[in-house]
Amino acid sequence: MEMDIYEKKTIYDRIAGNPYVGRGICVGLSPDGANAVFAYFIMGRSSNSRNRVFTIRDGELFTEPFDASLVEDPSLIIYAAVRSFQNKVVVTNGDQTDTIIDGLRQGKKFSEALESRQFEPDAPNFTPRISAMLEFKKSYSYQMSILKSIDAEGTGCARYTYSYPGRQGLGHFIHTYVTDGNPIPTFQGEPERIIIPGSIDEFTDQIWSGLDESNKISLYVEYINLKSQTSEFRLINKNEK
């Protein structure tokens, strides 16, 4: 049977039934071509990881502790997840958001800004750093990146960058892990092709309902109108204050 390399599935079909895809980024374009779309979600297995919420401050998305008194190690779980610079929006799963923004200010390209970073120092998992950048020039395009360990010992970093033109109804999904495990198996292959719905509420529901109930923590979805540059977003926290 031939494999359809151009097959695209709903995000729900990509994640439903999988106990642990980790943190994930989706980027694409709405079916009518009117809206750039992105989403970011986090999951967690440990009490430290699960003790988080998304919050918006000055138009930027941050992860914060739900109960500050229970924080064990904030270094890899508290960071700015979404920030903007000029005609670009950056979304990542760690503090490399700031690295990319600083690099852009210095005139560096997306991949160049990430050259100083590598996977997270959380042996034996060596969690990949995943990042995306939406760019609004004459036409809309986006890039995605994953920095991951080249071997089980963490002796070096493999770097992959993918660049995409915006195409109506098409998106790409990259996540940190294949599924649950010990150690947790790192994401493999190219970002997965997904169907971008026209409705932000439909897309939000597909992601939130598809994520494992025990391990999902927070979700942020944003649709940005390409003509007006106005946007609407949805934010869901499993932990509510």
Side-chain angles (χ1 to χ4, degrees):
M1 184 175 67
E2 290 187 8
M3 181 176 67
D4 182 3
I5 62 172
Y6 296 110
E7 178 187 27
K8 55 182 180 178
K9 298 180 178 180
T10 66
I11 184 63
Y12 180 86
D13 289 336
R14 291 288 187 196
I15 60 180
N18 189 332
Y20 204 59
V21 292
R23 285 165 274 175
I25 298 172
C26 304
V27 187
L29 183 65
S30 61
D32 60 3
N35 295 289
V37 175
F38 74 91
Y40 178 55
F41 66 79
I42 58 175
M43 305 180 75
R45 302 187 306 173
S46 68
S47 57
N48 191 49
S49 291
R50 290 178 176 179
N51 181 37
R52 287 182 290 173
V53 292
F54 281 169
T55 187
I56 296 175
R57 299 200 306 266
D58 298 324
E60 299 179 334
L61 183 72
F62 292 83
T63 62
E64 289 187 346
F66 174 60
D67 184 343
S69 68
L70 299 178
V71 175
E72 300 166 16
D73 178 8
S75 62
L76 296 177
I77 66 168
I78 308 301
Y79 52 88
V82 178
R83 296 184 64 193
S84 300
F85 175 72
Q86 294 180 346
N87 62 341
K88 302 173 180 67
V89 175
V90 173
V91 51
T92 90
N93 74 328
D95 63 9
Q96 73 268 26
T97 306
D98 298 336
T99 305
I100 296 169
I101 294 293
D102 290 344
L104 294 175
R105 289 194 176 112
Q106 296 166 24
K108 293 181 180 179
K109 296 180 180 179
F110 176 65
S111 58
E112 291 176 324
L114 284 165
E115 287 178 357
S116 64
R117 305 305 301 271
Q118 62 173 17
F119 49 87
E120 295 181 356
D122 60 341
N125 297 316
F126 299 117
T127 299
R129 290 191 185 273
I130 56 173
S131 309
M133 184 176 75
L134 292 69
E135 189 164 12
F136 306 92
K137 290 184 176 179
K138 291 182 179 179
S139 61
Y140 162 64
S141 63
Y142 54 97
Q143 299 180 63
M144 306 184 90
S145 164
I146 183 167
L147 310 178
K148 60 183 183 178
S149 178
I150 201 166
D151 54 30
E153 293 72 40
T155 64
C157 183
R159 304 170 181 277
Y160 302 88
T161 302
Y162 304 89
S163 299
Y164 302 101
R167 289 295 180 265
Q168 292 177 213
L170 174 65
H172 292 87
F173 170 45
I174 194 166
H175 44 102
T176 51
Y177 307 124
V178 175
T179 189
D180 205 353
N182 189 22
I184 318 174
T186 292
F187 177 86
Q188 299 293 317
E190 293 183 20
E192 299 162 352
R193 292 164 59 89
I194 57 171
I195 298 167
I196 300 292
S199 163
I200 186 173
D201 290 317
E202 181 181 353
F203 195 38
T204 301
D205 181 67
Q206 285 182 2
I207 300 173
W208 193 246
S209 63
L211 290 170
D212 182 80
E213 182 64 32
S214 298
N215 294 321
K216 66 184 179 183
I217 300 172
S218 296
L219 167 65
Y220 180 84
V221 181
E222 185 168 344
Y223 276 45
I224 304 170
N225 186 277
L226 295 178
K227 285 188 177 180
S228 67
Q229 286 296 295
T230 58
S231 65
E232 61 176 327
F233 69 88
R234 302 291 183 267
L235 190 157
I236 302 176
N237 286 314
K238 191 173 182 180
N239 295 317
E240 290 292 348
K241 296 185 177 180

